[in-house]
Amino acid sequence: MTTGRPSAYDPAYCEQVIDLGKAGKSKAQMAAAFDVSRQTIDNWAAAHPEFLEALTRADAHAQDWWETKGAEGMEKPGFNAAVWKKSMEARFRDDYTERREYQQTVRIEDLIASLGK
């Protein structure tokens, strides 16, 4: 019985993943380059600290690539800033998503009383 394509990790993937990040590639594109699933990329990162470090560096390089493209585009006619902004919000949520955090304190007694209504 065949269970699928083996996903053998190779330490050489560290440099390759960084190079892909420098080209602005996403984790899905990195997985495609290695012909594995995104889950396999995550599994490699969990099992191999050096790959996790490379993947983290690759993500920083990818963000730099996208930010550079945006900065260059703003000086060109026809640059679609709205599409660039949406792409950045989707790809780099921590830095580009506008979030509001709310904190609410509820007393347990008030919560129990409201459940009884």
Side-chain angles (χ1 to χ4, degrees):
M1 174 163 85
T2 306
T3 58
R5 187 179 165 313
S7 58
Y9 170 76
D10 182 343
Y13 292 161
C14 293
E15 282 304 314
Q16 293 174 13
V17 82
I18 290 169
D19 289 341
L20 290 165
K22 288 179 179 179
K25 303 300 184 186
S26 68
K27 191 187 288 186
Q29 290 171 306
M30 293 172 190
F34 297 125
D35 194 24
V36 298
S37 69
R38 286 174 61 169
Q39 183 61 54
T40 297
I41 295 285
D42 292 336
N43 292 346
W44 288 345
H48 305 281
E50 71 280 6
F51 188 75
L52 175 60
E53 171 65 18
L55 197 56
T56 301
R57 289 176 55 203
D59 189 50
H61 285 296
Q63 184 169 342
D64 173 62
W65 186 92
W66 279 88
E67 288 174 350
T68 299
K69 293 298 181 188
E72 292 168 352
M74 288 187 199
E75 298 174 357
K76 296 178 182 173
F79 175 67
N80 193 332
V83 170
W84 179 83
K85 180 180 184 279
K86 276 295 212 189
S87 296
M88 296 304 286
E89 288 173 346
R91 292 196 61 165
F92 309 107
R93 288 185 180 106
D94 289 343
D95 292 334
Y96 285 91
T97 301
E98 295 180 24
R99 294 182 298 242
R100 291 190 178 100
E101 293 185 23
Y102 298 96
Q103 187 174 25
Q104 183 176 10
T105 304
V106 178
R107 292 177 351 137
I108 191 72
E109 296 84 5
D110 295 339
L111 183 59
I112 293 170
S114 71
L115 293 174
K117 292 181 181 179

